[in-house]
Amino acid sequence: QVQLVESGGGLVQPGGSLRLSCAASGSIFSLYTMGWYRQAPGKQRELVTAIGAGGSTNYADSVKGRFTISRDNAKKMVYLQINSAKPEDTAVYYCNAGRYNSLFSPGDYWGQGTQVTVSL
């Protein structure tokens, strides 16, 4: 069982930066694939980025070069650094964890979500 709690969402101007955090509970955090997904109103939830236990990463084309996922296994934290934010990045961002999933599919555990709004 893994519990995930996101934080750091809020309002950011286009071109601005924001860092989201995900705090995880679990005895084998270092073995989990961690990811960030997002869902905008009226849209399906989509993969933003994921990071594997070995540090490999996957990014959606829409965020490549702008977003960075990282993890701190000692702190059991996952981060999403958002740079050069665009209005289309506006969504609820969800932290995700899974033991056996790939970087392209979600695991079984989800956080509650944190709102990111990119607007003037």
Side-chain angles (χ1 to χ4, degrees), residues 33-76:
T33 296
M34 304 297 299
W36 290 95
Y37 289 70
R38 68 186 181 187
Q39 187 167 24
K43 293 187 176 182
Q44 298 208 32
R45 190 171 299 186
E46 65 175 354
L47 171 68
V48 178
T49 179
I51 184 167
S56 58
T57 57
N58 174 49
Y59 293 91
D61 288 342
S62 59
V63 307
K64 283 181 180 175
R66 301 187 300 114
F67 288 18
T68 303
I69 188 171
S70 61
R71 67 192 298 163
D72 185 333
N73 288 340
K75 296 181 178 180
K76 296 199 284 188

Coordinates of all heavy atoms in Angstrom, one line a residue, residues 33-76:
T33 N 7.9 2.6 -9.8 CA 7.8 3.6 -10.9 C 6.9 4.7 -10.4 O 5.8 4.5 -9.9 CB 7.2 3.0 -12.1 OG1 8.1 1.9 -12.6 CG2 7.0 4.0 -13.2
M34 N 7.3 5.9 -10.5 CA 6.6 7.1 -10.1 C 6.2 8.0 -11.4 O 7.0 8.1 -12.3 CB 7.4 8.0 -9.1 CG 7.8 7.2 -7.9 SD 6.4 6.6 -6.9 CE 5.6 8.1 -6.5
G35 N 5.1 8.6 -11.3 CA 4.7 9.4 -12.5 C 3.8 10.5 -12.1 O 3.3 10.6 -11.0
W36 N 3.7 11.4 -13.1 CA 2.8 12.5 -13.0 C 1.8 12.4 -14.2 O 2.2 12.3 -15.3 CB 3.5 13.9 -13.0 CG 4.2 14.2 -11.8 CD1 5.6 14.0 -11.5 CD2 3.7 14.8 -10.6 NE1 5.9 14.4 -10.3 CE2 4.8 14.9 -9.7 CE3 2.5 15.2 -10.2 CZ2 4.7 15.4 -8.4 CZ3 2.3 15.8 -8.9 CH2 3.4 15.9 -8.1
Y37 N 0.5 12.5 -13.9 CA -0.5 12.6 -14.9 C -1.3 13.8 -14.6 O -1.3 14.4 -13.6 CB -1.4 11.3 -14.7 CG -0.8 10.0 -15.2 CD1 0.2 9.4 -14.4 CD2 -1.2 9.4 -16.4 CE1 0.8 8.3 -14.8 CE2 -0.6 8.2 -16.8 CZ 0.4 7.6 -16.0 OH 1.0 6.5 -16.4
R38 N -2.0 14.2 -15.7 CA -2.8 15.4 -15.5 C -4.1 15.3 -16.2 O -4.3 14.5 -17.2 CB -2.1 16.7 -16.0 CG -1.9 16.7 -17.5 CD -1.0 17.9 -17.9 NE -0.8 18.0 -19.4 CZ 0.0 18.8 -19.9 NH1 0.7 19.7 -19.2 NH2 0.2 18.9 -21.3
Q39 N -5.1 16.0 -15.8 CA -6.4 16.0 -16.4 C -7.0 17.4 -16.4 O -7.2 18.0 -15.3 CB -7.4 15.0 -15.6 CG -8.7 14.8 -16.3 CD -9.4 13.6 -15.7 OE1 -9.2 13.2 -14.5 NE2 -10.3 13.0 -16.5
A40 N -7.3 17.8 -17.5 CA -8.0 19.1 -17.7 C -9.5 18.9 -17.8 O -9.9 17.8 -18.2 CB -7.5 19.8 -19.0
P41 N -10.3 19.8 -17.5 CA -11.8 19.7 -17.6 C -12.2 19.2 -19.0 O -11.8 19.8 -20.0 CB -12.4 21.0 -17.3 CG -11.3 21.7 -16.4 CD -10.0 21.2 -17.0
G42 N -13.0 18.2 -19.1 CA -13.5 17.7 -20.4 C -12.5 16.8 -21.1 O -12.8 16.4 -22.2
K43 N -11.4 16.6 -20.6 CA -10.3 15.8 -21.2 C -10.0 14.6 -20.4 O -10.3 14.5 -19.2 CB -9.1 16.6 -21.4 CG -9.2 17.8 -22.4 CD -7.8 18.4 -22.7 CE -7.9 19.5 -23.7 NZ -6.6 20.1 -24.0
Q44 N -9.4 13.6 -21.1 CA -9.0 12.4 -20.4 C -7.7 12.6 -19.7 O -6.9 13.5 -20.0 CB -8.8 11.3 -21.4 CG -10.1 10.9 -22.2 CD -10.0 9.4 -22.6 OE1 -9.5 8.6 -22.0 NE2 -10.7 9.1 -23.7
R45 N -7.5 11.8 -18.6 CA -6.3 11.9 -17.9 C -5.1 11.4 -18.8 O -5.2 10.4 -19.5 CB -6.3 11.1 -16.6 CG -5.2 11.3 -15.7 CD -5.4 10.6 -14.4 NE -6.6 11.1 -13.7 CZ -6.9 10.8 -12.4 NH1 -6.2 9.9 -11.7 NH2 -8.0 11.3 -11.9
E46 N -4.0 12.2 -18.8 CA -2.9 11.8 -19.7 C -1.6 11.8 -18.9 O -1.4 12.5 -17.9 CB -2.8 12.9 -20.8 CG -2.5 14.3 -20.3 CD -2.2 15.2 -21.5 OE1 -2.2 14.8 -22.6 OE2 -2.0 16.4 -21.2
L47 N -0.7 10.9 -19.4 CA 0.6 10.9 -18.9 C 1.4 12.1 -19.2 O 1.4 12.6 -20.3 CB 1.3 9.7 -19.5 CG 2.8 9.5 -19.2 CD1 3.0 9.2 -17.7 CD2 3.5 8.5 -20.0
V48 N 2.0 12.7 -18.1 CA 2.9 13.8 -18.3 C 4.3 13.3 -18.3 O 5.1 13.6 -19.3 CB 2.7 14.8 -17.2 CG1 3.7 16.0 -17.3 CG2 1.3 15.3 -17.2
T49 N 4.7 12.6 -17.3 CA 6.0 12.1 -17.2 C 6.1 11.0 -16.2 O 5.2 10.9 -15.3 CB 7.0 13.2 -16.8 OG1 8.4 12.7 -16.7 CG2 6.6 13.9 -15.5
A50 N 7.1 10.1 -16.3 CA 7.3 9.1 -15.3 C 8.8 8.8 -15.1 O 9.6 9.1 -16.0 CB 6.6 7.8 -15.7
I51 N 9.1 8.3 -14.0 CA 10.5 7.9 -13.7 C 10.5 6.5 -13.0 O 9.8 6.2 -12.1 CB 11.2 9.0 -12.8 CG1 12.6 8.7 -12.6 CG2 10.4 9.1 -11.5 CD1 13.4 9.9 -12.0
G52 N 11.4 5.7 -13.5 CA 11.5 4.4 -13.0 C 12.5 4.3 -11.8 O 13.1 5.2 -11.4
A53 N 12.5 3.1 -11.3 CA 13.3 2.8 -10.1 C 14.8 3.1 -10.4 O 15.6 3.5 -9.5 CB 13.1 1.4 -9.6
G54 N 15.2 2.8 -11.6 CA 16.6 3.0 -12.0 C 16.9 4.4 -12.5 O 18.0 4.7 -12.9
G55 N 15.9 5.3 -12.6 CA 16.1 6.7 -13.0 C 15.8 7.0 -14.4 O 15.9 8.1 -14.8
S56 N 15.4 6.0 -15.2 CA 15.0 6.3 -16.5 C 13.7 7.1 -16.5 O 12.9 7.0 -15.6 CB 14.8 5.0 -17.3 OG 13.8 4.1 -16.7
T57 N 13.5 7.9 -17.5 CA 12.3 8.8 -17.6 C 11.6 8.7 -18.9 O 12.2 8.3 -19.9 CB 12.7 10.2 -17.3 OG1 13.7 10.6 -18.3 CG2 13.3 10.4 -16.0
N58 N 10.4 9.1 -18.9 CA 9.5 9.3 -20.1 C 8.8 10.5 -20.0 O 8.3 10.9 -18.9 CB 8.6 8.1 -20.2 CG 7.6 8.2 -21.3 OD1 8.0 8.5 -22.4 ND2 6.3 8.0 -21.0
Y59 N 8.7 11.3 -21.1 CA 7.9 12.5 -21.1 C 7.0 12.6 -22.3 O 7.3 12.1 -23.4 CB 8.9 13.7 -21.2 CG 9.8 14.0 -20.0 CD1 11.0 13.4 -20.0 CD2 9.4 14.8 -19.0 CE1 11.9 13.6 -18.9 CE2 10.2 15.0 -17.9 CZ 11.4 14.4 -17.8 OH 12.2 14.6 -16.8
A60 N 5.8 13.1 -22.0 CA 4.9 13.4 -23.1 C 5.6 14.4 -24.0 O 6.3 15.3 -23.6 CB 3.6 13.9 -22.6
D61 N 5.3 14.3 -25.3 CA 5.9 15.2 -26.3 C 5.6 16.7 -25.9 O 6.4 17.6 -26.2 CB 5.4 14.9 -27.7 CG 6.1 13.6 -28.3 OD1 7.1 13.2 -27.7 OD2 5.5 13.1 -29.2
S62 N 4.4 16.9 -25.4 CA 3.9 18.2 -25.1 C 4.7 18.9 -24.0 O 4.6 20.1 -23.9 CB 2.4 18.2 -24.8 OG 2.2 17.4 -23.6
V63 N 5.4 18.2 -23.2 CA 6.2 18.8 -22.1 C 7.7 18.6 -22.2 O 8.4 19.1 -21.3 CB 5.7 18.2 -20.8 CG1 4.1 18.4 -20.6 CG2 6.1 16.8 -20.6
K64 N 8.1 17.9 -23.2 CA 9.6 17.6 -23.3 C 10.3 19.0 -23.4 O 9.9 19.9 -24.2 CB 9.9 16.8 -24.6 CG 9.6 15.3 -24.4 CD 9.9 14.5 -25.6 CE 9.6 13.1 -25.4 NZ 9.8 12.3 -26.7
G65 N 11.4 19.1 -22.7 CA 12.2 20.3 -22.7 C 11.7 21.3 -21.7 O 12.4 22.3 -21.5
R66 N 10.5 21.1 -21.2 CA 9.9 22.1 -20.3 C 9.7 21.6 -18.9 O 9.9 22.3 -17.9 CB 8.6 22.6 -20.8 CG 8.7 23.3 -22.2 CD 7.4 24.0 -22.6 NE 6.3 23.0 -22.6 CZ 5.2 23.0 -21.8 NH1 5.1 24.0 -20.9 NH2 4.3 22.1 -22.0
F67 N 9.4 20.3 -18.8 CA 9.1 19.7 -17.5 C 10.2 18.7 -17.1 O 10.8 18.1 -18.0 CB 7.8 18.8 -17.5 CG 6.5 19.7 -17.6 CD1 6.5 21.0 -18.0 CD2 5.3 19.1 -17.3 CE1 5.4 21.7 -18.0 CE2 4.1 19.8 -17.3 CZ 4.2 21.1 -17.7
T68 N 10.5 18.6 -15.9 CA 11.5 17.6 -15.4 C 11.0 16.9 -14.2 O 10.5 17.5 -13.2 CB 12.8 18.3 -15.0 OG1 13.3 19.1 -16.1 CG2 13.9 17.3 -14.6
I69 N 11.0 15.5 -14.3 CA 10.6 14.7 -13.1 C 11.9 14.3 -12.4 O 12.9 14.0 -13.0 CB 9.8 13.5 -13.5 CG1 9.2 12.8 -12.3 CG2 10.6 12.6 -14.4 CD1 8.2 11.7 -12.7
S70 N 11.8 14.2 -11.1 CA 13.0 13.8 -10.3 C 12.4 13.1 -9.1 O 11.3 13.2 -8.7 CB 13.9 14.9 -9.9 OG 13.2 15.9 -9.1
R71 N 13.3 12.3 -8.4 CA 12.9 11.6 -7.2 C 14.0 11.6 -6.2 O 15.2 11.6 -6.6 CB 12.5 10.1 -7.5 CG 13.6 9.2 -8.0 CD 13.1 7.9 -8.6 NE 12.3 7.1 -7.5 CZ 11.5 6.1 -7.8 NH1 11.2 5.8 -9.1 NH2 10.9 5.5 -6.8
D72 N 13.6 11.6 -5.0 CA 14.6 11.5 -3.8 C 14.1 10.3 -3.0 O 13.2 10.4 -2.2 CB 14.5 12.8 -3.0 CG 15.6 12.9 -1.9 OD1 16.0 11.8 -1.4 OD2 16.0 14.0 -1.5
N73 N 14.8 9.2 -3.2 CA 14.4 8.0 -2.5 C 14.5 8.1 -1.0 O 13.8 7.5 -0.3 CB 15.1 6.8 -3.1 CG 14.7 6.5 -4.5 OD1 13.6 6.8 -4.9 ND2 15.6 5.7 -5.2
A74 N 15.5 8.8 -0.6 CA 15.8 8.9 0.9 C 14.6 9.7 1.5 O 14.2 9.3 2.7 CB 17.1 9.7 1.2
K75 N 14.0 10.6 0.9 CA 12.9 11.4 1.4 C 11.6 10.8 0.9 O 10.5 11.3 1.4 CB 13.0 12.9 0.9 CG 14.2 13.6 1.5 CD 14.2 15.1 1.0 CE 15.3 15.8 1.6 NZ 15.3 17.2 1.2
K76 N 11.6 9.9 0.0 CA 10.4 9.3 -0.6 C 9.5 10.4 -1.2 O 8.4 10.5 -0.9 CB 9.6 8.5 0.5 CG 10.4 7.3 0.9 CD 9.5 6.2 1.5 CE 9.1 6.5 2.9 NZ 8.4 5.4 3.6

